[in-house]
Short mmCIF file of all heavy atoms in Angstrom, two decimals:
data_model
loop_
_atom_site.label_atom_id
_atom_site.label_comp_id
_atom_site.label_asym_id
_atom_site.label_seq_id
_atom_site.Cartn_x
_atom_site.Cartn_y
_atom_site.Cartn_z
N THR A 50 100.29 45.34 146.54
CA THR A 50 99.01 44.72 146.84
C THR A 50 99.22 43.25 147.21
O THR A 50 100.26 42.66 146.88
CB THR A 50 98.06 44.78 145.62
OG1 THR A 50 98.58 43.95 144.59
CG2 THR A 50 97.85 46.20 145.15
N VAL A 51 98.24 42.69 147.85
CA VAL A 51 98.32 41.28 148.22
C VAL A 51 98.38 40.41 146.96
O VAL A 51 99.14 39.44 146.90
CB VAL A 51 97.12 40.88 149.11
CG1 VAL A 51 97.09 39.38 149.34
CG2 VAL A 51 97.16 41.62 150.43
N SER A 52 97.62 40.77 145.94
CA SER A 52 97.63 39.99 144.70
C SER A 52 99.02 39.96 144.07
O SER A 52 99.48 38.91 143.60
CB SER A 52 96.64 40.56 143.69
OG SER A 52 95.32 40.32 144.12
N ALA A 53 99.69 41.09 144.06
CA ALA A 53 101.05 41.14 143.51
C ALA A 53 102.01 40.30 144.33
O ALA A 53 102.90 39.64 143.78
CB ALA A 53 101.53 42.59 143.44
N GLU A 54 101.83 40.30 145.64
CA GLU A 54 102.69 39.50 146.51
C GLU A 54 102.46 38.01 146.26
O GLU A 54 103.41 37.22 146.24
CB GLU A 54 102.45 39.85 147.97
CG GLU A 54 102.95 41.23 148.33
CD GLU A 54 102.63 41.62 149.77
OE1 GLU A 54 102.11 40.78 150.54
OE2 GLU A 54 102.90 42.78 150.12
N ILE A 55 101.21 37.62 146.08
CA ILE A 55 100.89 36.23 145.78
C ILE A 55 101.50 35.83 144.44
O ILE A 55 102.08 34.74 144.31
CB ILE A 55 99.36 35.99 145.80
CG1 ILE A 55 98.85 36.11 147.23
CG2 ILE A 55 99.00 34.64 145.20
CD1 ILE A 55 97.34 36.13 147.35
N ASP A 56 101.37 36.70 143.44
CA ASP A 56 101.97 36.42 142.13
C ASP A 56 103.48 36.22 142.24
O ASP A 56 104.05 35.30 141.64
CB ASP A 56 101.64 37.53 141.14
CG ASP A 56 100.17 37.60 140.79
OD1 ASP A 56 99.43 36.61 141.00
OD2 ASP A 56 99.74 38.66 140.30
N ALA A 57 104.13 37.08 143.01
CA ALA A 57 105.58 36.98 143.18
C ALA A 57 105.95 35.69 143.91
O ALA A 57 106.93 35.01 143.55
CB ALA A 57 106.11 38.20 143.95
N LEU A 58 105.18 35.33 144.91
CA LEU A 58 105.42 34.09 145.64
C LEU A 58 105.26 32.89 144.71
O LEU A 58 106.08 31.97 144.74
CB LEU A 58 104.45 33.97 146.82
CG LEU A 58 104.53 32.66 147.60
CD1 LEU A 58 105.88 32.51 148.27
CD2 LEU A 58 103.41 32.58 148.62
N ASN A 59 104.24 32.91 143.88
CA ASN A 59 104.02 31.80 142.95
C ASN A 59 105.16 31.67 141.95
O ASN A 59 105.58 30.56 141.62
CB ASN A 59 102.69 31.96 142.21
CG ASN A 59 101.51 31.61 143.08
OD1 ASN A 59 101.61 30.84 144.02
ND2 ASN A 59 100.36 32.18 142.76
N ILE A 60 105.67 32.79 141.46
CA ILE A 60 106.81 32.76 140.53
C ILE A 60 108.02 32.14 141.22
O ILE A 60 108.70 31.28 140.65
CB ILE A 60 107.12 34.18 140.00
CG1 ILE A 60 106.00 34.63 139.06
CG2 ILE A 60 108.48 34.20 139.31
CD1 ILE A 60 106.06 36.11 138.71
N ALA A 61 108.28 32.56 142.44
CA ALA A 61 109.42 32.02 143.18
C ALA A 61 109.22 30.54 143.49
O ALA A 61 110.17 29.74 143.33
CB ALA A 61 109.62 32.81 144.47
N ALA A 62 108.03 30.15 143.90
CA ALA A 62 107.76 28.75 144.22
C ALA A 62 107.88 27.87 142.98
O ALA A 62 108.45 26.77 143.04
CB ALA A 62 106.37 28.62 144.84
N GLU A 63 107.34 28.36 141.86
CA GLU A 63 107.43 27.58 140.62
C GLU A 63 108.89 27.40 140.20
O GLU A 63 109.30 26.31 139.78
CB GLU A 63 106.63 28.24 139.52
CG GLU A 63 106.60 27.43 138.24
CD GLU A 63 105.65 28.00 137.20
OE1 GLU A 63 105.25 29.17 137.30
OE2 GLU A 63 105.32 27.25 136.26
N SER A 64 109.67 28.44 140.30
CA SER A 64 111.08 28.38 139.95
C SER A 64 111.82 27.39 140.84
O SER A 64 112.62 26.57 140.37
CB SER A 64 111.70 29.77 140.05
OG SER A 64 113.07 29.72 139.78
N LEU A 65 111.56 27.45 142.12
CA LEU A 65 112.19 26.55 143.07
C LEU A 65 111.80 25.10 142.79
O LEU A 65 112.66 24.21 142.79
CB LEU A 65 111.78 26.95 144.49
CG LEU A 65 112.42 26.19 145.64
CD1 LEU A 65 113.92 26.43 145.67
CD2 LEU A 65 111.79 26.63 146.95
N CYS A 66 110.53 24.87 142.53
CA CYS A 66 110.08 23.52 142.21
C CYS A 66 110.74 23.01 140.94
O CYS A 66 111.21 21.87 140.88
CB CYS A 66 108.56 23.49 142.07
SG CYS A 66 107.68 23.65 143.64
N HIS A 67 110.77 23.85 139.92
CA HIS A 67 111.37 23.46 138.64
C HIS A 67 112.85 23.09 138.83
O HIS A 67 113.33 22.10 138.28
CB HIS A 67 111.23 24.59 137.62
CG HIS A 67 111.83 24.27 136.30
ND1 HIS A 67 111.25 23.37 135.43
CD2 HIS A 67 112.96 24.70 135.71
CE1 HIS A 67 112.02 23.27 134.35
NE2 HIS A 67 113.05 24.08 134.50
N ALA A 68 113.55 23.88 139.62
CA ALA A 68 114.98 23.63 139.85
C ALA A 68 115.21 22.30 140.56
O ALA A 68 116.27 21.70 140.40
CB ALA A 68 115.58 24.77 140.67
N ARG A 69 114.22 21.84 141.30
CA ARG A 69 114.36 20.60 142.05
C ARG A 69 113.61 19.43 141.41
O ARG A 69 113.50 18.35 141.99
CB ARG A 69 113.88 20.81 143.48
CG ARG A 69 114.88 21.67 144.26
CD ARG A 69 114.35 22.10 145.59
NE ARG A 69 115.34 22.75 146.42
CZ ARG A 69 115.86 23.95 146.21
NH1 ARG A 69 115.51 24.63 145.15
NH2 ARG A 69 116.74 24.47 147.04
N GLY A 70 113.05 19.67 140.23
CA GLY A 70 112.35 18.61 139.52
C GLY A 70 111.02 18.23 140.15
O GLY A 70 110.57 17.10 140.03
N VAL A 71 110.41 19.19 140.81
CA VAL A 71 109.14 18.96 141.48
C VAL A 71 108.04 19.69 140.72
O VAL A 71 108.21 20.85 140.32
CB VAL A 71 109.18 19.49 142.94
CG1 VAL A 71 107.85 19.36 143.63
CG2 VAL A 71 110.28 18.79 143.73
N ALA A 72 106.92 19.02 140.51
CA ALA A 72 105.80 19.63 139.80
C ALA A 72 105.20 20.76 140.64
O ALA A 72 105.22 20.72 141.87
CB ALA A 72 104.75 18.59 139.49
N PHE A 73 104.68 21.75 139.96
CA PHE A 73 104.05 22.91 140.62
C PHE A 73 102.72 23.18 139.95
O PHE A 73 102.62 23.22 138.73
CB PHE A 73 104.96 24.14 140.48
CG PHE A 73 104.38 25.39 141.08
CD1 PHE A 73 104.43 25.62 142.43
CD2 PHE A 73 103.76 26.34 140.26
CE1 PHE A 73 103.88 26.78 142.98
CE2 PHE A 73 103.21 27.49 140.80
CZ PHE A 73 103.28 27.72 142.17
N LEU A 74 101.69 23.36 140.74
CA LEU A 74 100.37 23.71 140.23
C LEU A 74 99.96 25.05 140.82
O LEU A 74 99.80 25.17 142.03
CB LEU A 74 99.34 22.65 140.60
CG LEU A 74 97.90 22.95 140.17
CD1 LEU A 74 97.79 22.96 138.65
CD2 LEU A 74 96.95 21.93 140.77
N ASP A 75 99.83 26.04 139.99
CA ASP A 75 99.40 27.37 140.42
C ASP A 75 97.87 27.41 140.42
O ASP A 75 97.24 27.39 139.37
CB ASP A 75 99.97 28.43 139.49
CG ASP A 75 99.67 29.85 139.94
OD1 ASP A 75 98.85 30.03 140.87
OD2 ASP A 75 100.26 30.77 139.37
N ILE A 76 97.30 27.46 141.60
CA ILE A 76 95.84 27.47 141.73
C ILE A 76 95.28 28.89 141.85
O ILE A 76 94.07 29.07 141.97
CB ILE A 76 95.38 26.65 142.96
CG1 ILE A 76 96.02 27.19 144.24
CG2 ILE A 76 95.71 25.17 142.76
CD1 ILE A 76 95.46 26.61 145.50
N THR A 77 96.14 29.87 141.76
CA THR A 77 95.72 31.25 141.98
C THR A 77 94.70 31.72 140.96
O THR A 77 93.71 32.35 141.32
CB THR A 77 96.94 32.18 142.00
OG1 THR A 77 97.85 31.72 143.00
CG2 THR A 77 96.54 33.61 142.30
N GLY A 78 94.92 31.42 139.69
CA GLY A 78 93.98 31.87 138.65
C GLY A 78 92.59 31.31 138.87
O GLY A 78 91.59 32.04 138.80
N LEU A 79 92.53 30.02 139.17
CA LEU A 79 91.24 29.38 139.42
C LEU A 79 90.57 29.99 140.65
O LEU A 79 89.36 30.26 140.66
CB LEU A 79 91.45 27.88 139.62
CG LEU A 79 90.23 27.02 139.87
CD1 LEU A 79 89.21 27.16 138.74
CD2 LEU A 79 90.64 25.57 140.03
N THR A 80 91.36 30.23 141.67
CA THR A 80 90.83 30.83 142.90
C THR A 80 90.30 32.23 142.64
O THR A 80 89.22 32.60 143.12
CB THR A 80 91.92 30.85 143.98
OG1 THR A 80 92.40 29.52 144.17
CG2 THR A 80 91.40 31.41 145.29
N ARG A 81 91.04 33.01 141.88
CA ARG A 81 90.60 34.37 141.57
C ARG A 81 89.34 34.39 140.71
O ARG A 81 88.48 35.25 140.89
CB ARG A 81 91.72 35.13 140.87
CG ARG A 81 92.84 35.51 141.81
CD ARG A 81 93.98 36.18 141.10
NE ARG A 81 95.02 36.57 142.05
CZ ARG A 81 96.25 36.86 141.72
NH1 ARG A 81 96.64 36.79 140.45
NH2 ARG A 81 97.13 37.20 142.64
N GLU A 82 89.23 33.43 139.80
CA GLU A 82 88.04 33.35 138.94
C GLU A 82 86.78 33.09 139.76
O GLU A 82 85.69 33.54 139.40
CB GLU A 82 88.19 32.22 137.92
CG GLU A 82 89.17 32.50 136.83
CD GLU A 82 89.40 31.27 135.95
OE1 GLU A 82 88.66 30.28 136.08
OE2 GLU A 82 90.33 31.32 135.14
N ARG A 83 86.91 32.35 140.85
CA ARG A 83 85.75 31.92 141.62
C ARG A 83 85.59 32.63 142.96
O ARG A 83 84.70 32.28 143.73
CB ARG A 83 85.86 30.41 141.89
CG ARG A 83 85.85 29.55 140.65
CD ARG A 83 84.52 29.71 139.91
NE ARG A 83 84.39 28.78 138.83
CZ ARG A 83 83.77 27.61 138.91
NH1 ARG A 83 83.18 27.25 140.01
NH2 ARG A 83 83.72 26.83 137.86
N HIS A 84 86.41 33.63 143.23
CA HIS A 84 86.40 34.24 144.57
C HIS A 84 85.06 34.88 144.95
O HIS A 84 84.72 34.96 146.12
CB HIS A 84 87.53 35.27 144.71
CG HIS A 84 87.20 36.60 144.10
ND1 HIS A 84 87.34 36.83 142.75
CD2 HIS A 84 86.73 37.74 144.64
CE1 HIS A 84 86.96 38.08 142.50
NE2 HIS A 84 86.60 38.65 143.62
N ALA A 85 84.28 35.32 143.98
CA ALA A 85 83.02 35.98 144.29
C ALA A 85 81.89 35.00 144.59
O ALA A 85 80.82 35.41 145.05
CB ALA A 85 82.61 36.89 143.13
N ASP A 86 82.11 33.73 144.34
CA ASP A 86 81.08 32.71 144.57
C ASP A 86 81.12 32.28 146.04
O ASP A 86 82.09 31.67 146.48
CB ASP A 86 81.34 31.52 143.66
CG ASP A 86 80.30 30.43 143.77
OD1 ASP A 86 79.44 30.49 144.67
OD2 ASP A 86 80.35 29.50 142.94
N PRO A 87 80.08 32.57 146.81
CA PRO A 87 80.08 32.21 148.23
C PRO A 87 80.26 30.70 148.47
O PRO A 87 80.77 30.31 149.52
CB PRO A 87 78.71 32.65 148.72
CG PRO A 87 78.23 33.65 147.73
CD PRO A 87 78.87 33.28 146.42
N ALA A 88 79.89 29.89 147.51
CA ALA A 88 80.03 28.44 147.66
C ALA A 88 81.49 28.01 147.69
O ALA A 88 81.80 26.89 148.08
CB ALA A 88 79.30 27.72 146.54
N MET A 89 82.39 28.89 147.29
CA MET A 89 83.81 28.56 147.26
C MET A 89 84.51 28.85 148.57
O MET A 89 85.70 28.60 148.73
CB MET A 89 84.52 29.32 146.12
CG MET A 89 84.02 28.96 144.73
SD MET A 89 84.33 27.24 144.31
CE MET A 89 82.66 26.64 144.08
N HIS A 90 83.76 29.38 149.54
CA HIS A 90 84.33 29.74 150.84
C HIS A 90 83.68 28.94 151.95
O HIS A 90 82.48 28.66 151.92
CB HIS A 90 84.11 31.24 151.13
CG HIS A 90 84.72 32.12 150.10
ND1 HIS A 90 86.04 32.46 150.11
CD2 HIS A 90 84.19 32.71 149.00
CE1 HIS A 90 86.30 33.23 149.07
NE2 HIS A 90 85.19 33.39 148.37
N ALA A 91 84.48 28.59 152.95
CA ALA A 91 83.97 27.93 154.14
C ALA A 91 83.09 28.92 154.91
O ALA A 91 83.02 30.10 154.58
CB ALA A 91 85.13 27.46 155.01
N ALA A 92 82.43 28.42 155.92
CA ALA A 92 81.51 29.25 156.71
C ALA A 92 82.18 30.48 157.31
O ALA A 92 81.52 31.50 157.51
CB ALA A 92 80.87 28.41 157.82
N ASP A 93 83.49 30.42 157.54
CA ASP A 93 84.18 31.58 158.11
C ASP A 93 84.42 32.69 157.09
O ASP A 93 84.86 33.77 157.44
CB ASP A 93 85.49 31.17 158.77
CG ASP A 93 86.54 30.65 157.81
OD1 ASP A 93 86.32 30.68 156.57
OD2 ASP A 93 87.60 30.20 158.29
N GLY A 94 84.13 32.40 155.80
CA GLY A 94 84.28 33.41 154.76
C GLY A 94 85.72 33.66 154.33
O GLY A 94 85.97 34.46 153.45
N LEU A 95 86.64 32.96 154.93
CA LEU A 95 88.06 33.16 154.64
C LEU A 95 88.69 31.96 153.95
O LEU A 95 89.37 32.09 152.94
CB LEU A 95 88.82 33.46 155.94
CG LEU A 95 90.34 33.56 155.82
CD1 LEU A 95 90.73 34.76 154.97
CD2 LEU A 95 90.96 33.67 157.21
N HIS A 96 88.45 30.80 154.50
CA HIS A 96 89.09 29.59 154.00
C HIS A 96 88.31 28.96 152.86
O HIS A 96 87.12 29.20 152.70
CB HIS A 96 89.26 28.60 155.16
CG HIS A 96 90.22 29.08 156.18
ND1 HIS A 96 89.81 29.81 157.27
CD2 HIS A 96 91.57 28.99 156.25
CE1 HIS A 96 90.87 30.13 158.00
NE2 HIS A 96 91.95 29.65 157.39
N PRO A 97 88.98 28.13 152.06
CA PRO A 97 88.30 27.48 150.94
C PRO A 97 87.28 26.45 151.44
O PRO A 97 87.47 25.83 152.48
CB PRO A 97 89.43 26.77 150.19
CG PRO A 97 90.70 27.21 150.80
CD PRO A 97 90.40 27.84 152.10
N SER A 98 86.25 26.29 150.66
CA SER A 98 85.24 25.27 150.95
C SER A 98 85.64 23.95 150.30
O SER A 98 86.58 23.89 149.50
CB SER A 98 83.88 25.71 150.40
OG SER A 98 83.93 25.71 148.98
N ALA A 99 84.87 22.93 150.60
CA ALA A 99 85.09 21.63 149.95
C ALA A 99 84.94 21.77 148.44
O ALA A 99 85.66 21.12 147.67
CB ALA A 99 84.12 20.61 150.51
N ALA A 100 84.04 22.63 148.00
CA ALA A 100 83.85 22.84 146.56
C ALA A 100 85.10 23.42 145.91
O ALA A 100 85.49 23.01 144.81
CB ALA A 100 82.65 23.76 146.31
N MET A 101 85.76 24.35 146.58
CA MET A 101 86.98 24.93 146.04
C MET A 101 88.09 23.89 146.02
O MET A 101 88.82 23.76 145.04
CB MET A 101 87.43 26.16 146.83
CG MET A 101 88.71 26.81 146.30
SD MET A 101 88.58 27.43 144.60
CE MET A 101 87.86 29.03 144.91
N TYR A 102 88.20 23.12 147.10
CA TYR A 102 89.19 22.05 147.11
C TYR A 102 88.93 21.07 145.98
O TYR A 102 89.86 20.56 145.37
CB TYR A 102 89.21 21.32 148.46
CG TYR A 102 89.94 22.07 149.54
CD1 TYR A 102 89.27 22.54 150.66
CD2 TYR A 102 91.32 22.28 149.46
CE1 TYR A 102 89.94 23.22 151.67
CE2 TYR A 102 92.00 22.96 150.46
CZ TYR A 102 91.30 23.43 151.57
OH TYR A 102 91.99 24.09 152.54
N GLY A 103 87.67 20.84 145.67
CA GLY A 103 87.32 19.97 144.56
C GLY A 103 87.80 20.52 143.23
O GLY A 103 88.29 19.78 142.38
N LEU A 104 87.66 21.84 143.04
CA LEU A 104 88.15 22.46 141.81
C LEU A 104 89.67 22.34 141.71
O LEU A 104 90.21 22.07 140.63
CB LEU A 104 87.73 23.93 141.75
CG LEU A 104 86.24 24.19 141.54
CD1 LEU A 104 85.97 25.69 141.63
CD2 LEU A 104 85.78 23.64 140.21
N TRP A 105 90.34 22.57 142.82
CA TRP A 105 91.80 22.44 142.82
C TRP A 105 92.21 21.01 142.50
O TRP A 105 93.14 20.78 141.73
CB TRP A 105 92.38 22.85 144.17
CG TRP A 105 92.24 24.30 144.50
CD1 TRP A 105 91.94 25.33 143.66
CD2 TRP A 105 92.39 24.87 145.80
NE1 TRP A 105 91.91 26.52 144.36
CE2 TRP A 105 92.17 26.27 145.67
CE3 TRP A 105 92.67 24.36 147.05
CZ2 TRP A 105 92.25 27.13 146.75
CZ3 TRP A 105 92.73 25.22 148.13
CH2 TRP A 105 92.54 26.60 147.97
N ALA A 106 91.53 20.05 143.10
CA ALA A 106 91.85 18.64 142.84
C ALA A 106 91.62 18.30 141.37
O ALA A 106 92.42 17.59 140.75
CB ALA A 106 91.02 17.74 143.74
N GLY A 107 90.53 18.81 140.80
CA GLY A 107 90.27 18.59 139.39
C GLY A 107 91.36 19.16 138.51
O GLY A 107 91.79 18.53 137.54
N ALA A 108 91.83 20.34 138.85
CA ALA A 108 92.92 20.96 138.09
C ALA A 108 94.19 20.11 138.21
O ALA A 108 94.90 19.91 137.23
CB ALA A 108 93.18 22.37 138.60
N LEU A 109 94.43 19.61 139.38
CA LEU A 109 95.60 18.76 139.61
C LEU A 109 95.52 17.50 138.76
O LEU A 109 96.49 17.12 138.09
CB LEU A 109 95.69 18.41 141.09
CG LEU A 109 96.82 17.48 141.51
CD1 LEU A 109 98.15 18.18 141.37
CD2 LEU A 109 96.59 17.03 142.94
N LEU A 110 94.39 16.87 138.76
CA LEU A 110 94.23 15.63 138.00
C LEU A 110 94.33 15.85 136.50
O LEU A 110 94.80 14.98 135.77
CB LEU A 110 92.90 14.97 138.35
CG LEU A 110 92.81 14.42 139.78
CD1 LEU A 110 91.39 13.95 140.08
CD2 LEU A 110 93.81 13.30 140.00
N CYS A 111 93.90 17.01 136.04
CA CYS A 111 93.93 17.31 134.61
C CYS A 111 95.33 17.57 134.07
O CYS A 111 95.55 17.52 132.87
CB CYS A 111 93.03 18.51 134.30
SG CYS A 111 91.29 18.12 134.39
N THR A 112 96.27 17.85 134.94
CA THR A 112 97.60 18.18 134.46
C THR A 112 98.36 16.95 133.96
O THR A 112 99.17 17.05 133.06
CB THR A 112 98.47 18.84 135.54
OG1 THR A 112 98.71 17.90 136.59
CG2 THR A 112 97.82 20.09 136.08
N GLY A 113 98.12 15.81 134.58
CA GLY A 113 98.86 14.61 134.23
C GLY A 113 100.32 14.67 134.64
O GLY A 113 101.11 13.80 134.32
N THR A 114 100.70 15.70 135.36
CA THR A 114 102.09 15.92 135.74
C THR A 114 102.42 15.31 137.09
O THR A 114 103.57 15.05 137.39
CB THR A 114 102.36 17.44 135.82
OG1 THR A 114 102.02 18.02 134.57
CG2 THR A 114 103.80 17.75 136.13
N PHE A 115 101.43 15.07 137.87
CA PHE A 115 101.67 14.74 139.28
C PHE A 115 101.69 13.24 139.56
O PHE A 115 101.76 12.84 140.69
CB PHE A 115 100.64 15.44 140.15
CG PHE A 115 100.87 16.93 140.18
CD1 PHE A 115 100.35 17.74 139.20
CD2 PHE A 115 101.65 17.49 141.17
CE1 PHE A 115 100.59 19.10 139.21
CE2 PHE A 115 101.90 18.86 141.18
CZ PHE A 115 101.37 19.66 140.20
N GLY A 116 101.61 12.44 138.53
CA GLY A 116 101.69 11.00 138.75
C GLY A 116 100.45 10.46 139.42
O GLY A 116 99.38 11.05 139.39
N ARG A 117 100.63 9.38 140.07
CA ARG A 117 99.52 8.67 140.71
C ARG A 117 99.27 9.24 142.10
O ARG A 117 100.18 9.40 142.88
CB ARG A 117 99.88 7.20 140.79
CG ARG A 117 98.76 6.35 141.19
CD ARG A 117 99.19 4.92 141.02
NE ARG A 117 98.29 4.10 141.79
CZ ARG A 117 98.36 2.81 141.85
NH1 ARG A 117 99.31 2.19 141.20
NH2 ARG A 117 97.52 2.12 142.55
N LEU A 118 98.01 9.53 142.39
CA LEU A 118 97.66 10.05 143.72
C LEU A 118 97.15 8.94 144.58
O LEU A 118 96.53 8.03 144.16
CB LEU A 118 96.60 11.14 143.59
CG LEU A 118 97.01 12.36 142.78
CD1 LEU A 118 95.85 13.31 142.64
CD2 LEU A 118 98.18 13.05 143.45
#
């Protein structure tokens, strides 16, 4: 399934980032939690909306791992 492929990609990306000392933020869980909310999608119904980008940014800021933006 696409979800399983995304999960596998995230595992590989996180491992690669960790090996290189780069922070990794997995936004998949947040995206999946909100996928049914039309406000989280752009007008094309496919891409994220500004509201979704806002949620991702909030998650990023809450980690404290990414330093100064």
Side-chain angles (χ1 to χ4, degrees):
T50 67
V51 172
S52 290
E54 291 176 6
I55 291 170
D56 293 341
L58 175 64
N59 284 335
I60 290 168
E63 184 172 17
S64 177
L65 184 64
C66 288
H67 180 73
R69 288 171 172 70
V71 176
F73 178 80
L74 177 66
D75 185 349
I76 58 170
T77 304
L79 181 57
T80 304
R81 287 176 178 162
E82 288 173 10
R83 298 297 188 96
H84 80 279
D86 183 351
M89 297 296 118
H90 301 278
D93 66 6
L95 174 65
H96 293 92
S98 68
M101 180 61 85
Y102 281 115
L104 290 175
W105 293 344
L109 178 69
L110 292 173
C111 287
T112 66
T114 304
F115 290 85
R117 190 172 162 179
L118 299 176

